[in-house]
Amino acid sequence: MILTAVLLAVIGLGLVGWFAARGRARLLYSGRGSMHSMPSYHAWHVALWILVPALLVWGLWQAVMPGLVEGAVFASPAAAHLPTDPFQLGAIVSEARNLAADPSAASFNPEAEALVEPFRAAQTRFGLMGAALVLVVAFAGGAFAFTRVKARFRARTQVERAVLALLLIASLSAVLTTFGIVASLVFEAGLFFKDVSPIAFLTGTHWSPASTAGDNISNNFGAVPLFWGTIYIGAIIAMVVAIPLGLMSAIYLTQYATRDVRKWVKPLLEILAGIPTVVYGYFAALTVAPVIRDFAASVGMPNPSTESALAAGLVMGVMIIPFVSSMADDALAAVPRAMSDGSLALGATRSETIKRVLLPAALPGIVAGVMLAISRAIGETMIVVMAAGAAANLSANPFASMTTVTYQIVQMLTGDQEFNSPKTLSAFALGLVLFIVTLILNIVALRVVKRFREAYE
């Protein structure tokens, strides 16, 4: 709480420095060409010198303060009789920390209660130390920058460099986050493949992670049914629905619809992208699935179930229609008008112009939209949970219950189970394979886009 209050104080100090520096810079202005930088640049220069060093110190202190607090608690007389077992000690310290933060929390260990007051005292002491350090750094940075508010000081250059560094950090953070995700997947998947054969994992057809007894547990982690369910629901059934409807709606809106119709229909179509997936899941489970079950019963299917790949795939296809439609709409609208006018002038009909001129020219954008839709579909979980089921079936029957990789990842990483067990680590192996498949699909899409872009530019 102390450091949070200090953070707000530093932000307020930055605002004060901004106005003070701007006021002083305005007093230095004596005519055109008398100053190198505008007063606003001097204001931002002072504000940055207040905020950036103080925030860096604040973040660093937040990182090291828990260790300092625990060290002070362990050095207190109340910690003299703590057990030496690491697991018991960790539980006691965690409970004491929670009690110090929330006095109304339930207590289960008397030894933890004895550490509450040392925890609070240490947190208060180091919080005040951190607050003082942050404020000193903020004042020092502001004072240093304020002394440099002069007519010939290049404040604009300094501020632009700071903004450039901020943009570079933002771009690097995205790249480093991607590398971190991949590294964590590879590391945890490597632990999984120490116990399970990669060949059996990628080619096996029996998925039963709960059955880990026996010498050869690889036979229980055959992921082919999961990959097939993902492809069948997300890349086949959903695409059969999304691609024709999305593409035809884009063609109608760009080539046939009037301006008034387009003004109303296009936003209504794009509303589908803003509906939460749990709503789609309810719609699939309560409306679409019973209809499909009744249809399966009417055509003679034995024991039809409300959980089916077809129900999940149909609703998923409706959900991703806006991805295909919007990208195809933008791609068709970006085709030069001269190409369609030339085709019509040569005697081609509008439908022939669309098929032979507009669609080939807009193919890069259409393919990008389709690939975006596929990536969205194969990563969907909620609709599968509520409409497709959890059975790992390797079947082409659309009325059968199926599951996907994403649903199994959720199942493996939730609940009370050991994190280092093959059952839990299998989620990372599934995630790694799904990442590789998605990467390959995007590479193929980029090759297609590049090929046709070169042909029509």
mmCIF file of all heavy atoms in Angstrom, residues 88-131:
data_model
loop_
_atom_site.group_PDB
_atom_site.id
_atom_site.type_symbol
_atom_site.label_atom_id
_atom_site.label_comp_id
_atom_site.label_asym_id
_atom_site.label_seq_id
_atom_site.Cartn_x
_atom_site.Cartn_y
_atom_site.Cartn_z
ATOM 1 N N GLN A 88 7.040 -27.638 4.768
ATOM 2 C CA GLN A 88 6.339 -27.085 5.918
ATOM 3 C C GLN A 88 6.672 -25.602 6.112
ATOM 4 O O GLN A 88 5.793 -24.785 6.406
ATOM 5 C CB GLN A 88 6.704 -27.867 7.171
ATOM 6 C CG GLN A 88 6.231 -29.312 7.162
ATOM 7 C CD GLN A 88 6.584 -30.029 8.452
ATOM 8 O OE1 GLN A 88 7.109 -29.432 9.388
ATOM 9 N NE2 GLN A 88 6.297 -31.330 8.509
ATOM 10 N N LEU A 89 7.949 -25.272 5.935
ATOM 11 C CA LEU A 89 8.363 -23.888 6.102
ATOM 12 C C LEU A 89 7.690 -22.982 5.067
ATOM 13 O O LEU A 89 7.217 -21.884 5.388
ATOM 14 C CB LEU A 89 9.880 -23.791 5.983
ATOM 15 C CG LEU A 89 10.489 -22.401 6.196
ATOM 16 C CD1 LEU A 89 10.175 -21.897 7.592
ATOM 17 C CD2 LEU A 89 12.000 -22.439 5.962
ATOM 18 N N GLY A 90 7.627 -23.456 3.832
ATOM 19 C CA GLY A 90 6.979 -22.662 2.802
ATOM 20 C C GLY A 90 5.499 -22.442 3.066
ATOM 21 O O GLY A 90 4.975 -21.348 2.849
ATOM 22 N N ALA A 91 4.828 -23.481 3.558
ATOM 23 C CA ALA A 91 3.406 -23.342 3.875
ATOM 24 C C ALA A 91 3.183 -22.359 5.016
ATOM 25 O O ALA A 91 2.249 -21.541 4.983
ATOM 26 C CB ALA A 91 2.827 -24.710 4.234
ATOM 27 N N ILE A 92 4.043 -22.422 6.032
ATOM 28 C CA ILE A 92 3.904 -21.513 7.174
ATOM 29 C C ILE A 92 4.141 -20.068 6.744
ATOM 30 O O ILE A 92 3.380 -19.155 7.103
ATOM 31 C CB ILE A 92 4.871 -21.927 8.295
ATOM 32 C CG1 ILE A 92 4.459 -23.274 8.883
ATOM 33 C CG2 ILE A 92 4.931 -20.858 9.371
ATOM 34 C CD1 ILE A 92 5.463 -23.840 9.879
ATOM 35 N N VAL A 93 5.179 -19.834 5.975
ATOM 36 C CA VAL A 93 5.500 -18.479 5.537
ATOM 37 C C VAL A 93 4.394 -17.928 4.629
ATOM 38 O O VAL A 93 3.995 -16.765 4.739
ATOM 39 C CB VAL A 93 6.860 -18.468 4.812
ATOM 40 C CG1 VAL A 93 7.106 -17.120 4.146
ATOM 41 C CG2 VAL A 93 7.980 -18.779 5.797
ATOM 42 N N SER A 94 3.878 -18.767 3.749
ATOM 43 C CA SER A 94 2.794 -18.324 2.864
ATOM 44 C C SER A 94 1.547 -17.951 3.652
ATOM 45 O O SER A 94 0.897 -16.934 3.390
ATOM 46 C CB SER A 94 2.479 -19.427 1.859
ATOM 47 O OG SER A 94 1.412 -19.049 1.019
ATOM 48 N N GLU A 95 1.207 -18.778 4.649
ATOM 49 C CA GLU A 95 0.037 -18.476 5.472
ATOM 50 C C GLU A 95 0.247 -17.202 6.279
ATOM 51 O O GLU A 95 -0.672 -16.372 6.410
ATOM 52 C CB GLU A 95 -0.251 -19.651 6.403
ATOM 53 C CG GLU A 95 -1.500 -19.461 7.250
ATOM 54 C CD GLU A 95 -1.792 -20.661 8.124
ATOM 55 O OE1 GLU A 95 -1.226 -21.750 7.850
ATOM 56 O OE2 GLU A 95 -2.568 -20.519 9.083
ATOM 57 N N ALA A 96 1.454 -17.007 6.815
ATOM 58 C CA ALA A 96 1.735 -15.790 7.582
ATOM 59 C C ALA A 96 1.652 -14.552 6.690
ATOM 60 O O ALA A 96 1.136 -13.505 7.108
ATOM 61 C CB ALA A 96 3.123 -15.890 8.222
ATOM 62 N N ARG A 97 2.123 -14.673 5.479
ATOM 63 C CA ARG A 97 2.044 -13.541 4.548
ATOM 64 C C ARG A 97 0.590 -13.194 4.244
ATOM 65 O O ARG A 97 0.208 -12.017 4.175
ATOM 66 C CB ARG A 97 2.790 -13.875 3.252
ATOM 67 C CG ARG A 97 2.885 -12.698 2.283
ATOM 68 C CD ARG A 97 3.501 -13.091 0.965
ATOM 69 N NE ARG A 97 4.893 -13.514 1.134
ATOM 70 C CZ ARG A 97 5.299 -14.778 1.026
ATOM 71 N NH1 ARG A 97 4.422 -15.740 0.759
ATOM 72 N NH2 ARG A 97 6.561 -15.092 1.181
ATOM 73 N N ASN A 98 -0.237 -14.204 4.028
ATOM 74 C CA ASN A 98 -1.649 -13.958 3.759
ATOM 75 C C ASN A 98 -2.351 -13.330 4.967
ATOM 76 O O ASN A 98 -3.190 -12.439 4.819
ATOM 77 C CB ASN A 98 -2.346 -15.263 3.370
ATOM 78 C CG ASN A 98 -1.848 -15.819 2.054
ATOM 79 O OD1 ASN A 98 -1.367 -15.064 1.198
ATOM 80 N ND2 ASN A 98 -1.951 -17.128 1.871
ATOM 81 N N LEU A 99 -2.025 -13.806 6.152
ATOM 82 C CA LEU A 99 -2.625 -13.235 7.361
ATOM 83 C C LEU A 99 -2.188 -11.784 7.566
ATOM 84 O O LEU A 99 -2.980 -10.950 8.035
ATOM 85 C CB LEU A 99 -2.244 -14.074 8.585
ATOM 86 C CG LEU A 99 -2.878 -15.464 8.684
ATOM 87 C CD1 LEU A 99 -2.289 -16.239 9.850
ATOM 88 C CD2 LEU A 99 -4.393 -15.351 8.848
ATOM 89 N N ALA A 100 -0.941 -11.476 7.237
ATOM 90 C CA ALA A 100 -0.473 -10.096 7.370
ATOM 91 C C ALA A 100 -1.189 -9.173 6.403
ATOM 92 O O ALA A 100 -1.470 -8.014 6.714
ATOM 93 C CB ALA A 100 1.041 -10.036 7.144
ATOM 94 N N ALA A 101 -1.512 -9.688 5.206
ATOM 95 C CA ALA A 101 -2.213 -8.875 4.218
ATOM 96 C C ALA A 101 -3.706 -8.795 4.490
ATOM 97 O O ALA A 101 -4.342 -7.774 4.212
ATOM 98 C CB ALA A 101 -1.962 -9.437 2.817
ATOM 99 N N ASP A 102 -4.281 -9.880 5.050
ATOM 100 C CA ASP A 102 -5.722 -9.939 5.308
ATOM 101 C C ASP A 102 -5.961 -10.494 6.714
ATOM 102 O O ASP A 102 -5.964 -11.720 6.904
ATOM 103 C CB ASP A 102 -6.400 -10.824 4.255
ATOM 104 C CG ASP A 102 -7.910 -10.840 4.418
ATOM 105 O OD1 ASP A 102 -8.438 -10.022 5.193
ATOM 106 O OD2 ASP A 102 -8.565 -11.670 3.749
ATOM 107 N N PRO A 103 -6.136 -9.639 7.697
ATOM 108 C CA PRO A 103 -6.320 -10.132 9.076
ATOM 109 C C PRO A 103 -7.566 -10.998 9.242
ATOM 110 O O PRO A 103 -7.636 -11.790 10.181
ATOM 111 C CB PRO A 103 -6.437 -8.840 9.892
ATOM 112 C CG PRO A 103 -5.785 -7.781 9.051
ATOM 113 C CD PRO A 103 -6.055 -8.177 7.642
ATOM 114 N N SER A 104 -8.557 -10.858 8.368
ATOM 115 C CA SER A 104 -9.781 -11.638 8.502
ATOM 116 C C SER A 104 -9.652 -13.043 7.921
ATOM 117 O O SER A 104 -10.586 -13.834 8.034
ATOM 118 C CB SER A 104 -10.936 -10.918 7.793
ATOM 119 O OG SER A 104 -10.676 -10.782 6.403
ATOM 120 N N ALA A 105 -8.506 -13.367 7.315
ATOM 121 C CA ALA A 105 -8.327 -14.688 6.728
ATOM 122 C C ALA A 105 -8.238 -15.750 7.817
ATOM 123 O O ALA A 105 -7.829 -15.479 8.957
ATOM 124 C CB ALA A 105 -7.072 -14.720 5.855
ATOM 125 N N ALA A 106 -8.620 -16.964 7.444
ATOM 126 C CA ALA A 106 -8.601 -18.074 8.401
ATOM 127 C C ALA A 106 -7.164 -18.518 8.665
ATOM 128 O O ALA A 106 -6.325 -18.535 7.756
ATOM 129 C CB ALA A 106 -9.427 -19.241 7.879
ATOM 130 N N SER A 107 -6.910 -18.889 9.908
ATOM 131 C CA SER A 107 -5.581 -19.354 10.306
ATOM 132 C C SER A 107 -5.651 -20.832 10.686
ATOM 133 O O SER A 107 -6.572 -21.261 11.388
ATOM 134 C CB SER A 107 -5.071 -18.537 11.491
ATOM 135 O OG SER A 107 -3.837 -19.044 11.939
ATOM 136 N N PHE A 108 -4.664 -21.590 10.216
ATOM 137 C CA PHE A 108 -4.638 -23.022 10.478
ATOM 138 C C PHE A 108 -3.384 -23.462 11.227
ATOM 139 O O PHE A 108 -3.287 -24.614 11.621
ATOM 140 C CB PHE A 108 -4.719 -23.800 9.150
ATOM 141 C CG PHE A 108 -5.935 -23.473 8.338
ATOM 142 C CD1 PHE A 108 -5.862 -22.559 7.302
ATOM 143 C CD2 PHE A 108 -7.157 -24.067 8.611
ATOM 144 C CE1 PHE A 108 -6.977 -22.245 6.550
ATOM 145 C CE2 PHE A 108 -8.277 -23.766 7.862
ATOM 146 C CZ PHE A 108 -8.201 -22.852 6.831
ATOM 147 N N ASN A 109 -2.430 -22.569 11.386
ATOM 148 C CA ASN A 109 -1.156 -22.963 11.980
ATOM 149 C C ASN A 109 -0.736 -21.928 13.017
ATOM 150 O O ASN A 109 -0.551 -20.745 12.687
ATOM 151 C CB ASN A 109 -0.088 -23.068 10.876
ATOM 152 C CG ASN A 109 1.123 -23.848 11.329
ATOM 153 O OD1 ASN A 109 1.559 -23.732 12.471
ATOM 154 N ND2 ASN A 109 1.676 -24.656 10.437
ATOM 155 N N PRO A 110 -0.559 -22.302 14.280
ATOM 156 C CA PRO A 110 -0.126 -21.335 15.311
ATOM 157 C C PRO A 110 1.231 -20.722 15.000
ATOM 158 O O PRO A 110 1.483 -19.559 15.352
ATOM 159 C CB PRO A 110 -0.089 -22.174 16.589
ATOM 160 C CG PRO A 110 -0.979 -23.353 16.315
ATOM 161 C CD PRO A 110 -0.827 -23.637 14.856
ATOM 162 N N GLU A 111 2.128 -21.495 14.365
ATOM 163 C CA GLU A 111 3.445 -20.946 14.038
ATOM 164 C C GLU A 111 3.330 -19.823 13.010
ATOM 165 O O GLU A 111 4.127 -18.883 13.016
ATOM 166 C CB GLU A 111 4.347 -22.062 13.515
ATOM 167 C CG GLU A 111 4.681 -23.118 14.565
ATOM 168 C CD GLU A 111 5.507 -24.243 13.984
ATOM 169 O OE1 GLU A 111 5.288 -24.575 12.803
ATOM 170 O OE2 GLU A 111 6.364 -24.773 14.710
ATOM 171 N N ALA A 112 2.331 -19.901 12.130
ATOM 172 C CA ALA A 112 2.118 -18.826 11.156
ATOM 173 C C ALA A 112 1.605 -17.570 11.850
ATOM 174 O O ALA A 112 1.987 -16.443 11.491
ATOM 175 C CB ALA A 112 1.150 -19.284 10.075
ATOM 176 N N GLU A 113 0.741 -17.745 12.856
ATOM 177 C CA GLU A 113 0.226 -16.591 13.588
ATOM 178 C C GLU A 113 1.346 -15.836 14.299
ATOM 179 O O GLU A 113 1.302 -14.609 14.420
ATOM 180 C CB GLU A 113 -0.822 -17.039 14.595
ATOM 181 C CG GLU A 113 -2.084 -17.614 13.959
ATOM 182 C CD GLU A 113 -3.083 -18.056 14.997
ATOM 183 O OE1 GLU A 113 -2.783 -17.936 16.209
ATOM 184 O OE2 GLU A 113 -4.172 -18.525 14.604
ATOM 185 N N ALA A 114 2.364 -16.562 14.755
ATOM 186 C CA ALA A 114 3.474 -15.900 15.439
ATOM 187 C C ALA A 114 4.303 -15.038 14.483
ATOM 188 O O ALA A 114 5.015 -14.130 14.934
ATOM 189 C CB ALA A 114 4.368 -16.948 16.105
ATOM 190 N N LEU A 115 4.225 -15.320 13.183
ATOM 191 C CA LEU A 115 5.022 -14.555 12.210
ATOM 192 C C LEU A 115 4.278 -13.375 11.617
ATOM 193 O O LEU A 115 4.851 -12.626 10.814
ATOM 194 C CB LEU A 115 5.455 -15.490 11.067
ATOM 195 C CG LEU A 115 6.378 -16.651 11.424
ATOM 196 C CD1 LEU A 115 6.689 -17.463 10.175
ATOM 197 C CD2 LEU A 115 7.667 -16.142 12.056
ATOM 198 N N VAL A 116 3.009 -13.205 11.981
ATOM 199 C CA VAL A 116 2.214 -12.141 11.365
ATOM 200 C C VAL A 116 2.775 -10.768 11.712
ATOM 201 O O VAL A 116 2.995 -9.923 10.834
ATOM 202 C CB VAL A 116 0.737 -12.266 11.793
ATOM 203 C CG1 VAL A 116 -0.052 -11.047 11.315
ATOM 204 C CG2 VAL A 116 0.135 -13.534 11.218
ATOM 205 N N GLU A 117 3.003 -10.523 13.013
ATOM 206 C CA GLU A 117 3.513 -9.204 13.418
ATOM 207 C C GLU A 117 4.897 -8.917 12.844
ATOM 208 O O GLU A 117 5.152 -7.802 12.376
ATOM 209 C CB GLU A 117 3.518 -9.099 14.944
ATOM 210 C CG GLU A 117 2.133 -8.986 15.549
ATOM 211 C CD GLU A 117 1.356 -7.818 14.977
ATOM 212 O OE1 GLU A 117 1.972 -6.756 14.719
ATOM 213 O OE2 GLU A 117 0.134 -7.943 14.783
ATOM 214 N N PRO A 118 5.860 -9.872 12.853
ATOM 215 C CA PRO A 118 7.129 -9.605 12.179
ATOM 216 C C PRO A 118 6.968 -9.306 10.682
ATOM 217 O O PRO A 118 7.685 -8.457 10.134
ATOM 218 C CB PRO A 118 7.923 -10.905 12.398
ATOM 219 C CG PRO A 118 7.382 -11.465 13.660
ATOM 220 C CD PRO A 118 5.929 -11.131 13.645
ATOM 221 N N PHE A 119 6.018 -9.980 10.048
ATOM 222 C CA PHE A 119 5.768 -9.701 8.625
ATOM 223 C C PHE A 119 5.276 -8.269 8.449
ATOM 224 O O PHE A 119 5.764 -7.532 7.575
ATOM 225 C CB PHE A 119 4.737 -10.684 8.066
ATOM 226 C CG PHE A 119 5.329 -11.699 7.134
ATOM 227 C CD1 PHE A 119 5.447 -13.026 7.511
ATOM 228 C CD2 PHE A 119 5.772 -11.326 5.868
ATOM 229 C CE1 PHE A 119 5.999 -13.970 6.664
ATOM 230 C CE2 PHE A 119 6.319 -12.260 5.011
ATOM 231 C CZ PHE A 119 6.434 -13.585 5.404
ATOM 232 N N ARG A 120 4.309 -7.871 9.252
ATOM 233 C CA ARG A 120 3.778 -6.512 9.111
ATOM 234 C C ARG A 120 4.827 -5.466 9.408
ATOM 235 O O ARG A 120 4.927 -4.441 8.703
ATOM 236 C CB ARG A 120 2.577 -6.340 10.039
ATOM 237 C CG ARG A 120 1.352 -7.134 9.615
ATOM 238 C CD ARG A 120 0.241 -7.010 10.645
ATOM 239 N NE ARG A 120 -0.936 -7.774 10.248
ATOM 240 C CZ ARG A 120 -1.969 -8.026 11.035
ATOM 241 N NH1 ARG A 120 -1.962 -7.563 12.296
ATOM 242 N NH2 ARG A 120 -2.991 -8.720 10.598
ATOM 243 N N ALA A 121 5.615 -5.695 10.437
ATOM 244 C CA ALA A 121 6.665 -4.725 10.782
ATOM 245 C C ALA A 121 7.701 -4.616 9.668
ATOM 246 O O ALA A 121 8.128 -3.510 9.303
ATOM 247 C CB ALA A 121 7.327 -5.136 12.098
ATOM 248 N N ALA A 122 8.101 -5.770 9.117
ATOM 249 C CA ALA A 122 9.094 -5.751 8.042
ATOM 250 C C ALA A 122 8.523 -5.100 6.786
ATOM 251 O O ALA A 122 9.215 -4.325 6.099
ATOM 252 C CB ALA A 122 9.574 -7.174 7.743
ATOM 253 N N GLN A 123 7.277 -5.403 6.471
ATOM 254 C CA GLN A 123 6.666 -4.794 5.291
ATOM 255 C C GLN A 123 6.549 -3.285 5.441
ATOM 256 O O GLN A 123 6.812 -2.533 4.487
ATOM 257 C CB GLN A 123 5.288 -5.414 5.037
ATOM 258 C CG GLN A 123 5.345 -6.839 4.536
ATOM 259 C CD GLN A 123 3.963 -7.468 4.430
ATOM 260 O OE1 GLN A 123 2.989 -6.946 4.981
ATOM 261 N NE2 GLN A 123 3.869 -8.598 3.747
ATOM 262 N N THR A 124 6.182 -2.824 6.635
ATOM 263 C CA THR A 124 6.084 -1.380 6.859
ATOM 264 C C THR A 124 7.453 -0.726 6.754
ATOM 265 O O THR A 124 7.621 0.329 6.116
ATOM 266 C CB THR A 124 5.462 -1.102 8.235
ATOM 267 O OG1 THR A 124 4.171 -1.714 8.304
ATOM 268 C CG2 THR A 124 5.335 0.385 8.467
ATOM 269 N N ARG A 125 8.458 -1.340 7.391
ATOM 270 C CA ARG A 125 9.795 -0.764 7.387
ATOM 271 C C ARG A 125 10.376 -0.688 5.975
ATOM 272 O O ARG A 125 10.831 0.383 5.538
ATOM 273 C CB ARG A 125 10.717 -1.595 8.292
ATOM 274 C CG ARG A 125 12.139 -1.022 8.374
ATOM 275 C CD ARG A 125 12.946 -1.694 9.460
ATOM 276 N NE ARG A 125 13.292 -3.084 9.143
ATOM 277 C CZ ARG A 125 12.705 -4.137 9.694
ATOM 278 N NH1 ARG A 125 11.743 -3.974 10.583
ATOM 279 N NH2 ARG A 125 13.079 -5.360 9.366
ATOM 280 N N PHE A 126 10.322 -1.784 5.258
ATOM 281 C CA PHE A 126 10.902 -1.764 3.913
ATOM 282 C C PHE A 126 10.022 -0.985 2.929
ATOM 283 O O PHE A 126 10.527 -0.448 1.940
ATOM 284 C CB PHE A 126 11.100 -3.201 3.414
ATOM 285 C CG PHE A 126 12.244 -3.909 4.073
ATOM 286 C CD1 PHE A 126 12.028 -4.898 5.008
ATOM 287 C CD2 PHE A 126 13.559 -3.563 3.766
ATOM 288 C CE1 PHE A 126 13.083 -5.552 5.626
ATOM 289 C CE2 PHE A 126 14.619 -4.211 4.371
ATOM 290 C CZ PHE A 126 14.379 -5.204 5.310
ATOM 291 N N GLY A 127 8.713 -0.921 3.203
ATOM 292 C CA GLY A 127 7.867 -0.078 2.370
ATOM 293 C C GLY A 127 8.226 1.387 2.495
ATOM 294 O O GLY A 127 8.290 2.118 1.500
ATOM 295 N N LEU A 128 8.467 1.845 3.730
ATOM 296 C CA LEU A 128 8.879 3.235 3.936
ATOM 297 C C LEU A 128 10.253 3.498 3.320
ATOM 298 O O LEU A 128 10.488 4.574 2.746
ATOM 299 C CB LEU A 128 8.896 3.539 5.435
ATOM 300 C CG LEU A 128 7.520 3.571 6.125
ATOM 301 C CD1 LEU A 128 7.686 3.755 7.622
ATOM 302 C CD2 LEU A 128 6.662 4.684 5.543
ATOM 303 N N MET A 129 11.153 2.527 3.437
ATOM 304 C CA MET A 129 12.469 2.701 2.816
ATOM 305 C C MET A 129 12.343 2.827 1.299
ATOM 306 O O MET A 129 12.979 3.693 0.672
ATOM 307 C CB MET A 129 13.370 1.517 3.181
ATOM 308 C CG MET A 129 13.761 1.466 4.653
ATOM 309 S SD MET A 129 14.650 -0.054 5.076
ATOM 310 C CE MET A 129 16.045 0.055 3.971
ATOM 311 N N GLY A 130 11.536 1.958 0.705
ATOM 312 C CA GLY A 130 11.340 2.039 -0.737
ATOM 313 C C GLY A 130 10.666 3.328 -1.155
ATOM 314 O O GLY A 130 11.025 3.927 -2.183
ATOM 315 N N ALA A 131 9.685 3.789 -0.358
ATOM 316 C CA ALA A 131 9.011 5.046 -0.678
ATOM 317 C C ALA A 131 9.988 6.210 -0.655
ATOM 318 O O ALA A 131 9.982 7.075 -1.542
ATOM 319 C CB ALA A 131 7.868 5.281 0.303
#
